[in-house]
Amino acid sequence: MGTTMTGTQRESERKPSERKVLRVLEGDAVGPPPAWMMRQAGRYLPEYRATRAEAGSFLDLCYSPDFAVEVTLQPIRRFGFDAAILFSDILVIPHALGQDVRFVEGEGPRLDPLDGRAAYGRLREAGDPAVMTHLAPVFETVTRLRAELPGETTLLGFCGAPWTVASYMIGGRGTPDLAPARALAEGDTALVDALIDRLVTVQTDYLVRQLEAGADAVQIFESHAGTLPRALPASGGPVEPVGDVAESALPDAPAADALTRWSLRPIARMVAGVRARVPGAKIIVFARGSGLDGHARVVPETGADAVGVDWGVDLKALRAAVPPTMVTQGNLHPETLIEGGAALDAAVDTVLAATAGLPHIFNLGHGITPQTPVAHVERMLARLRGQG
Ligand SMILES: Cc1c2[nH]c(c1CCC(=O)O)Cc1[nH]c(c(CCC(=O)O)c1C)Cc1[nH]c(c(CCC(=O)O)c1C)Cc1[nH]c(c(C)c1CCC(=O)O)C2
């Protein structure tokens, strides 16, 4: 197991390669695979609920380094996960761009819908210094976390993928099929291009700043890949461009499918943009709802280091369809974690069997939900680590 530390060597001086999640992202197959969970800091933990109550609103929690550091560390202390993920939310970006964002108790996020060109025109420009000033507490949280975390724990920063963030900005909320975003995407395609382009620029900067502040790697959450409109209109919708859409944002061929145009290509631009400023930056892309084919396309078409696999994909079939060097993460169904018992043991074993000898990071296929018993997380980790 891990390297023994001498009393005089500070934890923070450990070599990054001792961080197992980073090692897998560099291509090593580590057995048993290192583990973390999406939404690992959250309402299923009593200590999270206590800090959340103390902080007041959810956004106050995100923008207060004291509270955000505390809740990020809670699941590390309790379970010894191999990675900590910065506590924040993908919607701090629309907030930083000047859109009104609220988290309504029991209902989730609410934004003032960006329903057309007038609302788009009221957003801050990508280069407005006020955007990064707004996000400064997030960078402070990252720096403090890297100093406080155990040396062997990988620190992950994150942001949402442009389409996922845009779909919340347009619809104002997470409707099941994100119908407003689809409608706009099928009508004013130029406006969607412009919004995606602005998000690419701002969020590339945002990820670079997180990496510079101390994050070891970052994850891009494309949670709504499955809601992209199936086909783009052949014509129709305004044709005049909105603002300065970068040349590279425009599809080469009008026939570019929506997954390519609004998900894979914008993410590829972010990956390249981050690496241009942070050479060798490690990047995971979670592509929920894109199917086995979509998942298989993520690494080759975006240049990411790893693909986060949702629970709907057959992990064994995906692994058989992609090169053995491809790094995968995730896949365990969050409902199986709620169920627990023998079903959970079997699900852990299935992931281990599908990824034996291959570079894989153990995780869920989507975020852990508030009703999950803490004991089931303990059981999952014991099984994974060969102790149960
Ligand atoms: C789509 C999305 C959002 N936020 C996020 C995504 C992408 C991942 C996914 O698909 O789940 C990402 C996210 N949100 C949160 C994190 C923190 C890090 C972690 O522990 O994973 C991360 C990485 C905290 C959070 N973000 C939110 C909570 C719960 C809010 C609370 O404590 O009251 C947490 C812990 C709120 C949030 N934020 C969002 C929604 C839809 C909700 C409401 C759902 C809910 O209430 O569970 C937007």
PDB file of all heavy atoms in Angstrom, residues 38-43 48 52 58 85-91 103 108-109 158 168 221 223 366, ligand 1:
ATOM      1  N   MET A  38     -19.319  11.127  -7.161  1.00  0.00           N
ATOM      2  CA  MET A  38     -19.912  12.406  -7.532  1.00  0.00           C
ATOM      3  C   MET A  38     -20.936  12.797  -6.455  1.00  0.00           C
ATOM      4  O   MET A  38     -21.670  11.941  -5.974  1.00  0.00           O
ATOM      5  CB  MET A  38     -20.561  12.303  -8.916  1.00  0.00           C
ATOM      6  CG  MET A  38     -19.509  12.184 -10.014  1.00  0.00           C
ATOM      7  SD  MET A  38     -20.194  12.283 -11.667  1.00  0.00           S
ATOM      8  CE  MET A  38     -20.754  10.610 -11.881  1.00  0.00           C
ATOM      9  N   ARG A  39     -20.942  14.081  -6.050  1.00  0.00           N
ATOM     10  CA  ARG A  39     -21.782  14.621  -4.968  1.00  0.00           C
ATOM     11  C   ARG A  39     -21.435  14.003  -3.609  1.00  0.00           C
ATOM     12  O   ARG A  39     -22.304  13.863  -2.748  1.00  0.00           O
ATOM     13  CB  ARG A  39     -23.268  14.403  -5.253  1.00  0.00           C
ATOM     14  CG  ARG A  39     -23.819  15.258  -6.367  1.00  0.00           C
ATOM     15  CD  ARG A  39     -24.091  16.666  -5.854  1.00  0.00           C
ATOM     16  NE  ARG A  39     -24.545  17.513  -6.954  1.00  0.00           N
ATOM     17  CZ  ARG A  39     -25.830  17.684  -7.283  1.00  0.00           C
ATOM     18  NH1 ARG A  39     -26.767  17.102  -6.586  1.00  0.00           N
ATOM     19  NH2 ARG A  39     -26.139  18.454  -8.278  1.00  0.00           N
ATOM     20  N   GLN A  40     -20.146  13.631  -3.440  1.00  0.00           N
ATOM     21  CA  GLN A  40     -19.777  12.974  -2.182  1.00  0.00           C
ATOM     22  C   GLN A  40     -19.942  13.887  -0.967  1.00  0.00           C
ATOM     23  O   GLN A  40     -20.113  13.407   0.151  1.00  0.00           O
ATOM     24  CB  GLN A  40     -18.360  12.400  -2.259  1.00  0.00           C
ATOM     25  CG  GLN A  40     -17.236  13.407  -2.401  1.00  0.00           C
ATOM     26  CD  GLN A  40     -15.900  12.730  -2.726  1.00  0.00           C
ATOM     27  OE1 GLN A  40     -15.856  11.581  -3.139  1.00  0.00           O
ATOM     28  NE2 GLN A  40     -14.791  13.439  -2.521  1.00  0.00           N
ATOM     29  N   ALA A  41     -19.854  15.194  -1.176  1.00  0.00           N
ATOM     30  CA  ALA A  41     -20.190  16.130  -0.104  1.00  0.00           C
ATOM     31  C   ALA A  41     -21.645  16.516  -0.334  1.00  0.00           C
ATOM     32  O   ALA A  41     -21.950  17.214  -1.287  1.00  0.00           O
ATOM     33  CB  ALA A  41     -19.297  17.356  -0.174  1.00  0.00           C
ATOM     34  N   GLY A  42     -22.541  16.042   0.503  1.00  0.00           N
ATOM     35  CA  GLY A  42     -23.944  16.353   0.218  1.00  0.00           C
ATOM     36  C   GLY A  42     -24.874  15.922   1.332  1.00  0.00           C
ATOM     37  O   GLY A  42     -24.436  15.501   2.408  1.00  0.00           O
ATOM     38  N   ARG A  43     -26.163  16.020   1.039  1.00  0.00           N
ATOM     39  CA  ARG A  43     -27.185  15.903   2.085  1.00  0.00           C
ATOM     40  C   ARG A  43     -27.323  14.519   2.709  1.00  0.00           C
ATOM     41  O   ARG A  43     -27.972  14.383   3.743  1.00  0.00           O
ATOM     42  CB  ARG A  43     -28.533  16.359   1.535  1.00  0.00           C
ATOM     43  CG  ARG A  43     -28.621  17.868   1.401  1.00  0.00           C
ATOM     44  CD  ARG A  43     -29.804  18.271   0.585  1.00  0.00           C
ATOM     45  NE  ARG A  43     -29.633  17.782  -0.771  1.00  0.00           N
ATOM     46  CZ  ARG A  43     -30.490  18.002  -1.771  1.00  0.00           C
ATOM     47  NH1 ARG A  43     -31.591  18.668  -1.540  1.00  0.00           N
ATOM     48  NH2 ARG A  43     -30.253  17.533  -2.971  1.00  0.00           N
ATOM     49  N   TYR A  48     -22.744  17.325   6.715  1.00  0.00           N
ATOM     50  CA  TYR A  48     -23.002  18.303   5.642  1.00  0.00           C
ATOM     51  C   TYR A  48     -24.247  19.118   5.985  1.00  0.00           C
ATOM     52  O   TYR A  48     -24.245  20.348   5.879  1.00  0.00           O
ATOM     53  CB  TYR A  48     -23.191  17.605   4.281  1.00  0.00           C
ATOM     54  CG  TYR A  48     -23.677  18.569   3.204  1.00  0.00           C
ATOM     55  CD1 TYR A  48     -22.774  19.348   2.489  1.00  0.00           C
ATOM     56  CD2 TYR A  48     -25.040  18.732   2.942  1.00  0.00           C
ATOM     57  CE1 TYR A  48     -23.214  20.253   1.520  1.00  0.00           C
ATOM     58  CE2 TYR A  48     -25.486  19.637   1.975  1.00  0.00           C
ATOM     59  CZ  TYR A  48     -24.572  20.391   1.268  1.00  0.00           C
ATOM     60  OH  TYR A  48     -25.012  21.285   0.323  1.00  0.00           O
ATOM     61  N   ARG A  52     -24.366  23.077   6.295  1.00  0.00           N
ATOM     62  CA  ARG A  52     -25.274  23.753   5.354  1.00  0.00           C
ATOM     63  C   ARG A  52     -26.226  24.674   6.119  1.00  0.00           C
ATOM     64  O   ARG A  52     -26.466  25.811   5.698  1.00  0.00           O
ATOM     65  CB  ARG A  52     -26.039  22.670   4.586  1.00  0.00           C
ATOM     66  CG  ARG A  52     -27.193  23.103   3.759  1.00  0.00           C
ATOM     67  CD  ARG A  52     -26.739  23.554   2.388  1.00  0.00           C
ATOM     68  NE  ARG A  52     -27.875  23.647   1.497  1.00  0.00           N
ATOM     69  CZ  ARG A  52     -28.777  24.615   1.535  1.00  0.00           C
ATOM     70  NH1 ARG A  52     -28.672  25.579   2.424  1.00  0.00           N
ATOM     71  NH2 ARG A  52     -29.773  24.627   0.680  1.00  0.00           N
ATOM     72  N   PHE A  58     -27.414  27.946   0.020  1.00  0.00           N
ATOM     73  CA  PHE A  58     -26.475  27.079  -0.686  1.00  0.00           C
ATOM     74  C   PHE A  58     -25.362  27.892  -1.347  1.00  0.00           C
ATOM     75  O   PHE A  58     -24.186  27.511  -1.308  1.00  0.00           O
ATOM     76  CB  PHE A  58     -27.231  26.242  -1.734  1.00  0.00           C
ATOM     77  CG  PHE A  58     -26.333  25.407  -2.575  1.00  0.00           C
ATOM     78  CD1 PHE A  58     -25.688  24.303  -2.044  1.00  0.00           C
ATOM     79  CD2 PHE A  58     -26.125  25.724  -3.903  1.00  0.00           C
ATOM     80  CE1 PHE A  58     -24.838  23.527  -2.824  1.00  0.00           C
ATOM     81  CE2 PHE A  58     -25.283  24.953  -4.689  1.00  0.00           C
ATOM     82  CZ  PHE A  58     -24.634  23.854  -4.152  1.00  0.00           C
ATOM     83  N   ILE A  85     -13.443  16.410  -4.247  1.00  0.00           N
ATOM     84  CA  ILE A  85     -13.874  17.335  -5.295  1.00  0.00           C
ATOM     85  C   ILE A  85     -14.284  18.647  -4.649  1.00  0.00           C
ATOM     86  O   ILE A  85     -15.055  18.662  -3.663  1.00  0.00           O
ATOM     87  CB  ILE A  85     -14.995  16.739  -6.187  1.00  0.00           C
ATOM     88  CG1 ILE A  85     -15.372  17.735  -7.306  1.00  0.00           C
ATOM     89  CG2 ILE A  85     -16.210  16.286  -5.393  1.00  0.00           C
ATOM     90  CD1 ILE A  85     -16.064  17.102  -8.504  1.00  0.00           C
ATOM     91  N   LEU A  86     -13.690  19.707  -5.150  1.00  0.00           N
ATOM     92  CA  LEU A  86     -14.017  21.065  -4.714  1.00  0.00           C
ATOM     93  C   LEU A  86     -15.514  21.184  -4.495  1.00  0.00           C
ATOM     94  O   LEU A  86     -16.300  20.783  -5.356  1.00  0.00           O
ATOM     95  CB  LEU A  86     -13.587  22.021  -5.839  1.00  0.00           C
ATOM     96  CG  LEU A  86     -14.234  23.404  -5.865  1.00  0.00           C
ATOM     97  CD1 LEU A  86     -13.690  24.245  -4.721  1.00  0.00           C
ATOM     98  CD2 LEU A  86     -13.975  24.075  -7.213  1.00  0.00           C
ATOM     99  N   PHE A  87     -15.931  21.761  -3.372  1.00  0.00           N
ATOM    100  CA  PHE A  87     -17.355  22.000  -3.179  1.00  0.00           C
ATOM    101  C   PHE A  87     -17.743  23.337  -3.786  1.00  0.00           C
ATOM    102  O   PHE A  87     -17.295  24.400  -3.364  1.00  0.00           O
ATOM    103  CB  PHE A  87     -17.757  21.978  -1.700  1.00  0.00           C
ATOM    104  CG  PHE A  87     -19.241  21.976  -1.564  1.00  0.00           C
ATOM    105  CD1 PHE A  87     -19.944  20.790  -1.580  1.00  0.00           C
ATOM    106  CD2 PHE A  87     -19.958  23.166  -1.526  1.00  0.00           C
ATOM    107  CE1 PHE A  87     -21.327  20.778  -1.546  1.00  0.00           C
ATOM    108  CE2 PHE A  87     -21.340  23.164  -1.489  1.00  0.00           C
ATOM    109  CZ  PHE A  87     -22.022  21.972  -1.496  1.00  0.00           C
ATOM    110  N   SER A  88     -18.584  23.253  -4.798  1.00  0.00           N
ATOM    111  CA  SER A  88     -19.124  24.438  -5.453  1.00  0.00           C
ATOM    112  C   SER A  88     -20.293  23.962  -6.291  1.00  0.00           C
ATOM    113  O   SER A  88     -20.884  22.919  -5.982  1.00  0.00           O
ATOM    114  CB  SER A  88     -18.039  25.089  -6.325  1.00  0.00           C
ATOM    115  OG  SER A  88     -18.544  26.263  -6.933  1.00  0.00           O
ATOM    116  N   ASP A  89     -20.631  24.658  -7.343  1.00  0.00           N
ATOM    117  CA  ASP A  89     -21.693  24.190  -8.235  1.00  0.00           C
ATOM    118  C   ASP A  89     -21.402  24.677  -9.648  1.00  0.00           C
ATOM    119  O   ASP A  89     -20.757  25.720  -9.826  1.00  0.00           O
ATOM    120  CB  ASP A  89     -23.069  24.697  -7.778  1.00  0.00           C
ATOM    121  CG  ASP A  89     -24.182  23.876  -8.415  1.00  0.00           C
ATOM    122  OD1 ASP A  89     -24.519  22.818  -7.876  1.00  0.00           O
ATOM    123  OD2 ASP A  89     -24.678  24.283  -9.481  1.00  0.00           O
ATOM    124  N   ILE A  90     -21.920  23.957 -10.638  1.00  0.00           N
ATOM    125  CA  ILE A  90     -21.694  24.381 -12.030  1.00  0.00           C
ATOM    126  C   ILE A  90     -22.387  25.719 -12.308  1.00  0.00           C
ATOM    127  O   ILE A  90     -22.005  26.420 -13.232  1.00  0.00           O
ATOM    128  CB  ILE A  90     -22.165  23.309 -13.044  1.00  0.00           C
ATOM    129  CG1 ILE A  90     -23.669  23.066 -12.959  1.00  0.00           C
ATOM    130  CG2 ILE A  90     -21.397  22.004 -12.861  1.00  0.00           C
ATOM    131  CD1 ILE A  90     -24.216  22.224 -14.118  1.00  0.00           C
ATOM    132  N   LEU A  91     -23.382  26.077 -11.476  1.00  0.00           N
ATOM    133  CA  LEU A  91     -24.159  27.285 -11.764  1.00  0.00           C
ATOM    134  C   LEU A  91     -23.547  28.560 -11.190  1.00  0.00           C
ATOM    135  O   LEU A  91     -24.123  29.640 -11.333  1.00  0.00           O
ATOM    136  CB  LEU A  91     -25.608  27.095 -11.297  1.00  0.00           C
ATOM    137  CG  LEU A  91     -26.304  25.914 -12.001  1.00  0.00           C
ATOM    138  CD1 LEU A  91     -27.716  25.714 -11.463  1.00  0.00           C
ATOM    139  CD2 LEU A  91     -26.348  26.113 -13.517  1.00  0.00           C
ATOM    140  N   PHE A 103     -31.196  28.949  -5.320  1.00  0.00           N
ATOM    141  CA  PHE A 103     -31.453  27.537  -5.051  1.00  0.00           C
ATOM    142  C   PHE A 103     -32.664  27.456  -4.140  1.00  0.00           C
ATOM    143  O   PHE A 103     -32.623  27.895  -2.998  1.00  0.00           O
ATOM    144  CB  PHE A 103     -30.225  26.865  -4.430  1.00  0.00           C
ATOM    145  CG  PHE A 103     -29.155  26.596  -5.448  1.00  0.00           C
ATOM    146  CD1 PHE A 103     -28.268  27.597  -5.824  1.00  0.00           C
ATOM    147  CD2 PHE A 103     -29.049  25.360  -6.071  1.00  0.00           C
ATOM    148  CE1 PHE A 103     -27.300  27.369  -6.790  1.00  0.00           C
ATOM    149  CE2 PHE A 103     -28.088  25.120  -7.032  1.00  0.00           C
ATOM    150  CZ  PHE A 103     -27.215  26.120  -7.397  1.00  0.00           C
ATOM    151  N   GLY A 108     -34.475  22.709  -6.154  1.00  0.00           N
ATOM    152  CA  GLY A 108     -33.323  22.815  -7.030  1.00  0.00           C
ATOM    153  C   GLY A 108     -33.110  24.217  -7.555  1.00  0.00           C
ATOM    154  O   GLY A 108     -33.726  25.172  -7.080  1.00  0.00           O
ATOM    155  N   PRO A 109     -32.215  24.356  -8.524  1.00  0.00           N
ATOM    156  CA  PRO A 109     -31.824  25.688  -8.980  1.00  0.00           C
ATOM    157  C   PRO A 109     -32.874  26.386  -9.832  1.00  0.00           C
ATOM    158  O   PRO A 109     -33.613  25.750 -10.572  1.00  0.00           O
ATOM    159  CB  PRO A 109     -30.567  25.413  -9.828  1.00  0.00           C
ATOM    160  CG  PRO A 109     -30.599  23.978 -10.175  1.00  0.00           C
ATOM    161  CD  PRO A 109     -31.465  23.275  -9.186  1.00  0.00           C
ATOM    162  N   PHE A 158     -13.618  21.471 -10.986  1.00  0.00           N
ATOM    163  CA  PHE A 158     -14.633  21.095 -11.977  1.00  0.00           C
ATOM    164  C   PHE A 158     -15.351  22.319 -12.546  1.00  0.00           C
ATOM    165  O   PHE A 158     -15.278  23.420 -11.999  1.00  0.00           O
ATOM    166  CB  PHE A 158     -15.678  20.138 -11.385  1.00  0.00           C
ATOM    167  CG  PHE A 158     -16.655  20.809 -10.443  1.00  0.00           C
ATOM    168  CD1 PHE A 158     -17.863  21.316 -10.920  1.00  0.00           C
ATOM    169  CD2 PHE A 158     -16.371  20.949  -9.100  1.00  0.00           C
ATOM    170  CE1 PHE A 158     -18.775  21.943 -10.061  1.00  0.00           C
ATOM    171  CE2 PHE A 158     -17.269  21.562  -8.227  1.00  0.00           C
ATOM    172  CZ  PHE A 158     -18.468  22.064  -8.712  1.00  0.00           C
ATOM    173  N   TYR A 168     -29.321  25.080 -18.528  1.00  0.00           N
ATOM    174  CA  TYR A 168     -29.895  25.695 -17.318  1.00  0.00           C
ATOM    175  C   TYR A 168     -30.109  27.189 -17.520  1.00  0.00           C
ATOM    176  O   TYR A 168     -31.097  27.765 -17.077  1.00  0.00           O
ATOM    177  CB  TYR A 168     -28.985  25.476 -16.106  1.00  0.00           C
ATOM    178  CG  TYR A 168     -29.169  24.134 -15.449  1.00  0.00           C
ATOM    179  CD1 TYR A 168     -28.268  23.102 -15.661  1.00  0.00           C
ATOM    180  CD2 TYR A 168     -30.252  23.884 -14.617  1.00  0.00           C
ATOM    181  CE1 TYR A 168     -28.430  21.855 -15.072  1.00  0.00           C
ATOM    182  CE2 TYR A 168     -30.428  22.650 -14.018  1.00  0.00           C
ATOM    183  CZ  TYR A 168     -29.514  21.640 -14.251  1.00  0.00           C
ATOM    184  OH  TYR A 168     -29.701  20.428 -13.663  1.00  0.00           O
ATOM    185  N   PHE A 221     -18.476  18.393 -16.298  1.00  0.00           N
ATOM    186  CA  PHE A 221     -19.746  17.663 -16.165  1.00  0.00           C
ATOM    187  C   PHE A 221     -20.665  17.962 -17.344  1.00  0.00           C
ATOM    188  O   PHE A 221     -21.273  19.039 -17.406  1.00  0.00           O
ATOM    189  CB  PHE A 221     -20.483  18.074 -14.886  1.00  0.00           C
ATOM    190  CG  PHE A 221     -19.893  17.517 -13.617  1.00  0.00           C
ATOM    191  CD1 PHE A 221     -18.894  18.203 -12.934  1.00  0.00           C
ATOM    192  CD2 PHE A 221     -20.353  16.321 -13.094  1.00  0.00           C
ATOM    193  CE1 PHE A 221     -18.362  17.695 -11.755  1.00  0.00           C
ATOM    194  CE2 PHE A 221     -19.833  15.811 -11.903  1.00  0.00           C
ATOM    195  CZ  PHE A 221     -18.831  16.498 -11.238  1.00  0.00           C
ATOM    196  N   SER A 223     -23.751  16.763 -17.946  1.00  0.00           N
ATOM    197  CA  SER A 223     -24.834  15.966 -17.371  1.00  0.00           C
ATOM    198  C   SER A 223     -26.040  15.894 -18.286  1.00  0.00           C
ATOM    199  O   SER A 223     -26.919  15.067 -18.098  1.00  0.00           O
ATOM    200  CB  SER A 223     -25.250  16.562 -16.029  1.00  0.00           C
ATOM    201  OG  SER A 223     -24.145  16.552 -15.155  1.00  0.00           O
ATOM    202  N   HIS A 366     -23.813   8.536 -11.526  1.00  0.00           N
ATOM    203  CA  HIS A 366     -24.336   9.894 -11.364  1.00  0.00           C
ATOM    204  C   HIS A 366     -24.191  10.207  -9.877  1.00  0.00           C
ATOM    205  O   HIS A 366     -23.691   9.376  -9.129  1.00  0.00           O
ATOM    206  CB  HIS A 366     -25.793  10.000 -11.843  1.00  0.00           C
ATOM    207  CG  HIS A 366     -26.228  11.427 -12.101  1.00  0.00           C
ATOM    208  ND1 HIS A 366     -27.538  11.795 -12.249  1.00  0.00           N
ATOM    209  CD2 HIS A 366     -25.509  12.572 -12.228  1.00  0.00           C
ATOM    210  CE1 HIS A 366     -27.613  13.104 -12.473  1.00  0.00           C
ATOM    211  NE2 HIS A 366     -26.395  13.588 -12.458  1.00  0.00           N
TER     212      HIS A 366
HETATM  213  C1  LIG B   1     -26.377  19.515 -13.055  1.00  0.00           C
HETATM  214  C2  LIG B   1     -25.436  19.892 -11.939  1.00  0.00           C
HETATM  215  C3  LIG B   1     -25.664  20.894 -10.948  1.00  0.00           C
HETATM  216  N1  LIG B   1     -24.537  20.913 -10.141  1.00  0.00           N
HETATM  217  C4  LIG B   1     -23.636  19.984 -10.556  1.00  0.00           C
HETATM  218  C5  LIG B   1     -24.157  19.350 -11.711  1.00  0.00           C
HETATM  219  C6  LIG B   1     -23.443  18.310 -12.537  1.00  0.00           C
HETATM  220  C7  LIG B   1     -23.514  16.958 -11.913  1.00  0.00           C
HETATM  221  C8  LIG B   1     -24.867  16.313 -11.915  1.00  0.00           C
HETATM  222  O1  LIG B   1     -25.385  16.008 -12.988  1.00  0.00           O
HETATM  223  O2  LIG B   1     -25.408  16.107 -10.804  1.00  0.00           O
HETATM  224  C9  LIG B   1     -22.303  19.701 -10.012  1.00  0.00           C
HETATM  225  C10 LIG B   1     -22.097  19.759  -8.555  1.00  0.00           C
HETATM  226  N2  LIG B   1     -22.959  20.192  -7.578  1.00  0.00           N
HETATM  227  C11 LIG B   1     -22.352  20.079  -6.357  1.00  0.00           C
HETATM  228  C12 LIG B   1     -21.023  19.637  -6.556  1.00  0.00           C
HETATM  229  C13 LIG B   1     -20.017  19.592  -5.409  1.00  0.00           C
HETATM  230  C14 LIG B   1     -19.017  18.581  -5.359  1.00  0.00           C
HETATM  231  C15 LIG B   1     -19.488  17.156  -5.086  1.00  0.00           C
HETATM  232  O3  LIG B   1     -19.543  16.765  -3.910  1.00  0.00           O
HETATM  233  O4  LIG B   1     -19.727  16.433  -6.072  1.00  0.00           O
HETATM  234  C16 LIG B   1     -20.867  19.395  -7.920  1.00  0.00           C
HETATM  235  C17 LIG B   1     -19.667  18.845  -8.668  1.00  0.00           C
HETATM  236  C18 LIG B   1     -22.933  20.410  -5.054  1.00  0.00           C
HETATM  237  C19 LIG B   1     -24.395  20.524  -4.917  1.00  0.00           C
HETATM  238  N3  LIG B   1     -25.253  21.172  -5.761  1.00  0.00           N
HETATM  239  C20 LIG B   1     -26.522  21.137  -5.225  1.00  0.00           C
HETATM  240  C21 LIG B   1     -26.489  20.450  -3.990  1.00  0.00           C
HETATM  241  C22 LIG B   1     -27.663  20.268  -3.046  1.00  0.00           C
HETATM  242  C23 LIG B   1     -28.079  21.582  -2.496  1.00  0.00           C
HETATM  243  C24 LIG B   1     -28.283  21.665  -1.004  1.00  0.00           C
HETATM  244  O5  LIG B   1     -27.383  21.323  -0.210  1.00  0.00           O
HETATM  245  O6  LIG B   1     -29.349  22.140  -0.611  1.00  0.00           O
HETATM  246  C25 LIG B   1     -25.157  20.079  -3.781  1.00  0.00           C
HETATM  247  C26 LIG B   1     -24.589  19.368  -2.586  1.00  0.00           C
HETATM  248  C27 LIG B   1     -27.708  21.790  -5.859  1.00  0.00           C
HETATM  249  C28 LIG B   1     -27.901  21.565  -7.297  1.00  0.00           C
HETATM  250  N4  LIG B   1     -27.046  21.957  -8.285  1.00  0.00           N
HETATM  251  C29 LIG B   1     -27.523  21.546  -9.508  1.00  0.00           C
HETATM  252  C30 LIG B   1     -28.761  20.897  -9.289  1.00  0.00           C
HETATM  253  C31 LIG B   1     -29.626  20.290 -10.360  1.00  0.00           C
HETATM  254  C32 LIG B   1     -29.007  20.937  -7.912  1.00  0.00           C
HETATM  255  C33 LIG B   1     -30.259  20.485  -7.188  1.00  0.00           C
HETATM  256  C34 LIG B   1     -30.297  19.024  -7.026  1.00  0.00           C
HETATM  257  C35 LIG B   1     -30.229  18.674  -5.565  1.00  0.00           C
HETATM  258  O7  LIG B   1     -30.790  19.414  -4.764  1.00  0.00           O
HETATM  259  O8  LIG B   1     -29.615  17.645  -5.272  1.00  0.00           O
HETATM  260  C36 LIG B   1     -26.842  21.783 -10.797  1.00  0.00           C
END
